[in-house]
Amino acid sequence: MFGISPLGWVHTLGSLPAIPVAAYMFARFGRIVPRSTAGAIYFFSMLIGSVTILAIAHAPVSYVIAGVTLLLLLVGYGVARLPGQGRARIYVETISLTLTAFLLMLPTVTETLRRVPDGHPLVTDLKSPILLGAHGALFVFLVIGLTAQIIYLRRQTSD
């Protein structure tokens, strides 16, 4: 179904929980909160997705996205453990983890549009206006979301 291999299903089903969990945390907290139950689910789901893509990826850009996602995930979850970072910690954590959500959604949208509906996908070309528009919309959401997060954090830390 959808031309997905067994390892591809492990990748898909393993990383899928990250999407609703990230949406929940963005709606509830305005950011991904690493030290929470939802944050733990997000971490392990993103870890599964990032690691398994290395075994199934066909395009070189997939390795880059996976590597950058892993790096940002580790930075976002690890920065709180570093000594002496002060108020910068919350900014690094928030920006890093928001970027991981963006990097999750880029291939998710691409692969969904290229596979659904099964046998007659909405997009067959990576230069399709539908796909480019979807990627553009994700980028706009990223810019607006990061701007809102930074403004919110700045107001919280200046009080």
Side-chain angles (χ1 to χ4, degrees), residues 43-120:
F43 177 80
F44 287 111
S45 185
M46 288 296 290
L47 192 61
I48 290 167
S50 297
V51 171
T52 56
I53 196 64
L54 298 173
I56 61 173
H58 299 294
V61 71
S62 300
Y63 299 110
V64 173
I65 290 173
V68 171
T69 300
L70 272 171
L71 177 65
L72 290 169
L73 191 66
L74 295 174
V75 167
Y77 278 80
V79 70
R81 296 177 181 2
L82 297 175
Q85 70 276 6
R87 292 181 2 183
R89 175 196 62 84
I90 193 76
Y91 290 98
V92 171
E93 181 180 279
T94 299
I95 293 167
S96 297
L97 296 178
T98 297
L99 287 171
T100 65
F102 172 73
L103 291 174
L104 167 66
M105 292 311 299
L106 275 178
T108 299
V109 166
T110 301
E111 289 302 308
T112 300
L113 291 175
R114 293 182 71 208
R115 294 177 188 268
V116 174
D118 194 17
H120 302 288

Side-chain angles (χ1 to χ4, degrees), residues 5-21:
S5 69
L7 184 55
W9 280 111
V10 169
H11 164 76
T12 301
L13 296 175
S15 58
L16 189 61
I19 297 170
V21 168

Side-chain angles (χ1 to χ4, degrees), residues 29-46:
F29 307 111
R31 64 188 196 90
I32 294 172
V33 180
R35 287 156 304 284
S36 67
T37 301
I41 293 168
Y42 183 79
F43 177 80
F44 287 111
S45 185
M46 288 296 290

